[in-house]
DNA sequence: GGGGTCTATCTTGTTTCGCAAGGTACCTGC
DNA sequence: GCAGGTACCTTGCGAAACAAGATAGACCCC
């Protein structure tokens, strides 16, 4: 019973998707479904909106993003998410931690 | 409230430690505390034995390792874990998945 | 104005995993 | 015996991703 890549990926995403969303917002505000599409089709970092929305709530609650509701011509209003200074700082902390972690894993895998 | 690196790491380890243990066993059999020391002091991949032992049970249950109990001169008998062929195949699958995943994350973080 | 179809957000229940704290048992030396 | 080190295992907890479904606004066409 060798695990499928999908099963492996589900675990690997934990604690990473969150910060990838922050990284996406670095280039400017975006709304939920837009982020879901970017992270779900371009990369394999998100599989379901059921992951995204609770995650976005956490980001807002932590003060890493602010939100503004904007009416849309093609449907219900969109909630745009924008990175705060604290969000930027958090992202930098993560990036440094991520680098060290992946280096440790690589060393172990190659040992 | 910027998260501490420790809080970030706890999440990052999920789904990774398991395969790092397999990687450690590639160079030959080892017992629990030995693995805990290697992964806990050399790298920052393991913080507590409470993580390790349930994990080792899973590995055995999946058929990725076999165990042999060996009496020790300095304490209770040690349970040595040895990689199976299926464990080796699993490890290769993980390594490939891990490479693709980290590439995706890196791309997102740098975008 | 009623039905259908997008678009968009949010909620619920489940599973998996790492972690801290504590418990059990074996062996040696005083 | 009993103190201390070695080695293994268990329990209760919290965090995060996921699938599936719920809610609801805007548009179109009849």
């Amino acid at each position: 019973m060798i695990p499928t890549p999908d099963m492996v990926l589900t675990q690997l995403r934990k604690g990473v998707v969150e910060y990838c969303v922050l990284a996406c917002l670095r280039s400017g505000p975006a709304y939920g479904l837009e982020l879901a599409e970017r992270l779900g089709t371009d990369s394999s970092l998100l599989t379901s909106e059921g992951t995204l929305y609770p995650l976005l709530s956490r980001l807002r609650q932590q003060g890493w993003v602010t939100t503004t509701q904007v009416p849309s011509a093609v449907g219900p209003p969109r909630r745009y998410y924008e990175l705060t200074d604290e969000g930027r700082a958090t992202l930098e902390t993560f990036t440094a931690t991520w680098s060290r972690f992946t280096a440790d894993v690589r060393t172990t895998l190659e040992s």
Side-chain angles (χ1 to χ4, degrees), chain A:
Chain A
M1 36 184 85
I2 294 176
T4 67
D6 275 351
M7 291 163 52
V8 173
L9 280 173
T10 294
Q11 297 305 319
L12 294 187
R13 291 190 189 101
K14 298 200 175 182
V16 179
V17 187
E18 201 170 342
Y19 300 99
C20 287
V21 168
L22 289 184
C24 276
L25 293 176
R26 221 174 13 191
S27 56
Y31 65 98
L33 274 193
E34 189 183 350
L35 290 166
E37 195 173 350
R38 273 204 253 167
L39 291 170
T41 59
D42 301 1
S43 359
S44 54
L45 292 171
L46 196 66
T47 59
S48 140
E49 298 151 27
T51 303
L52 183 63
Y53 287 107
L55 185 156
L56 287 171
S57 291
R58 283 205 304 275
L59 297 186
R60 184 170 31 169
Q61 208 168 356
Q62 300 273 331
W64 301 341
V65 299
T66 56
T67 64
T68 54
Q69 201 153 348
V70 176
S72 162
V74 296
R78 298 168 175 171
R79 195 183 291 278
Y80 277 84
Y81 294 83
E82 185 170 10
L83 211 51
T84 64
D85 286 345
E86 204 166 349
R88 254 174 250 277
T90 299
L91 182 52
E92 281 180 34
T93 299
F94 172 78
T95 304
T97 305
W98 175 251
S99 287
R100 269 181 277 121
F101 179 71
T102 53
D104 273 2
V105 173
R106 169 150 304 191
T107 301
T108 304
L109 288 181
E110 289 175 353
S111 69

